[in-house]
């Protein structure tokens, strides 16, 4: 029972304080999981974060599910996921209900318009972070080519982003690796 209470506290705190979406909650989850409750070390947390980033869906929820499962099995997974998402859902219900009640008030309209630039900055920071990660894996040239082609297909030709991602995943799975190409060259050279 103590473990479930700790799981609830850890993911409730990171869920309720992680303003700005999943990536902003990652440092909070790290503090709870590695520093406070010591369920895993930094290396294990990095592995979970890296794997979670490669899978679709919100990172905070995926991490909560995995860590909860690792700490206390399926009940722990359910506990951690609910603890991380329910606070945000309740806050959205309360805040959006209040905003709907006062939506005709000028201060509410100004407040909602004032949030838009903040969201733009947050999305720009997130985009830049993803682009830097892309550069580390692919290099500037290939990253810029994929960025440009993605922009053309998504914004100009109106291809669904899921189709672009699926094509890139299939290409990554089917493209010949460098080691296979080097082995083939060695065989040709040996003959």
């Amino acid at each position: 029972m103590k473990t479930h209470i700790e799981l609830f506290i850890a993911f409730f705190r990171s869920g309720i304080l992680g303003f700005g979406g999943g990536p902003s909650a990652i440092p909070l989850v790290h503090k709870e999981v590695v520093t406070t409750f010591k369920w895993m070390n930094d290396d294990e947390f990095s592995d979970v974060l890296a794997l979670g980033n490669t899978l679709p869906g919100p990172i905070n929820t995926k991490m909560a599910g995995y860590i909860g499962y690792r700490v206390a099995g399926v009940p722990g997974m359910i506990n951690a996921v609910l603890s991380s998402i329910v606070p945000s859902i309740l806050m959205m219900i309360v805040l959006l209900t209040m905003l709907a009640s006062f939506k005709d008030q000028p201060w509410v309209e100004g407040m909602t318009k004032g949030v838009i630039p903040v969201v733009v900055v947050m999305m720009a920071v997130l985009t830049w972070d993803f682009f830097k990660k892309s550069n580390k894996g692919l290099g500037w040239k290939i990253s810029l080519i994929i960025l440009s082609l993605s922009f053309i297909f998504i914004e100009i030709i109106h291809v669904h982003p899921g189709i672009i991602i699926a094509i890139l995943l299939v290409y990554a799975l089917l493209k010949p690796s460098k080691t296979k190409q080097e082995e083939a060259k060695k065989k040709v050279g040996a003959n």
Side-chain angles (χ1 to χ4, degrees), residues 106-138:
W107 63 271
V108 172
E109 191 175 328
M111 187 176 76
T112 53
K113 286 180 181 174
V115 170
I116 292 172
V118 176
V119 173
V120 168
V121 170
M122 290 169 49
M123 295 304 293
V125 169
L126 190 63
T127 302
W128 179 244
D129 286 344
F130 280 132
F131 191 69
K132 285 192 298 189
K133 285 180 188 174
S134 170
N135 176 43
K136 285 181 184 173
L138 299 172

Side-chain angles (χ1 to χ4, degrees), residues 30-173:
H30 178 269
K31 182 178 182 331
E32 299 290 347
V33 170
V34 176
T35 308
T36 305
F37 294 108
K38 302 183 185 340
W39 290 317
M40 57 181 56
N41 60 32
D42 278 326
D43 290 340
E44 292 169 324
F45 186 85
S46 297
D47 291 343
V48 172
L49 179 61
L51 184 60
N53 273 323
T54 62
L55 299 172
I59 185 69
N60 194 30
T61 310
K62 289 181 286 189
M63 292 183 73
Y66 173 75
I67 294 167
Y69 180 78
R70 182 176 157 158
V71 171
V74 172
M77 176 187 71
I78 294 168
N79 181 8
V81 169
L82 290 177
S83 302
S84 69
I85 62 173
V86 168
S88 301
I89 292 170
L90 293 176
M91 286 177 66
M92 278 190 69
I93 291 170
V94 170
L95 290 175
L96 289 177
T97 303
M98 286 174 53
L99 286 176
S101 301
F102 299 108
K103 68 180 179 185
D104 296 330
Q105 299 293 325
W107 63 271
V108 172
E109 191 175 328
M111 187 176 76
T112 53
K113 286 180 181 174
V115 170
I116 292 172
V118 176
V119 173
V120 168
V121 170
M122 290 169 49
M123 295 304 293
V125 169
L126 190 63
T127 302
W128 179 244
D129 286 344
F130 280 132
F131 191 69
K132 285 192 298 189
K133 285 180 188 174
S134 170
N135 176 43
K136 285 181 184 173
L138 299 172
W140 286 111
K141 186 178 173 185
I142 293 176
S143 296
L144 286 171
I145 290 170
I146 292 174
L147 177 77
S148 302
L149 289 175
S150 297
F151 179 80
I152 290 168
F153 280 107
I154 293 170
E155 289 299 318
I156 297 173
I157 303 175
H158 302 292
V159 175
H160 193 279
I163 294 171
I164 307 268
I165 292 170
I167 289 170
L168 288 172
L169 289 174
V170 168
Y171 173 75
L173 288 172

Side-chain angles (χ1 to χ4, degrees), residues 178-191:
K178 287 184 179 178
T179 47
K180 285 182 180 176
Q181 288 176 344
E182 289 170 2
E183 287 176 9
K185 284 181 183 176
K186 285 180 184 175
K187 284 182 182 176
V188 171
N191 292 332

Side-chain angles (χ1 to χ4, degrees), residues 6-26:
E6 289 175 347
L7 273 171
F8 177 82
I9 291 169
F11 287 100
F12 181 85
R13 281 196 295 221
S14 60
I16 199 91
L17 297 174
F19 289 97
S24 66
I26 290 171

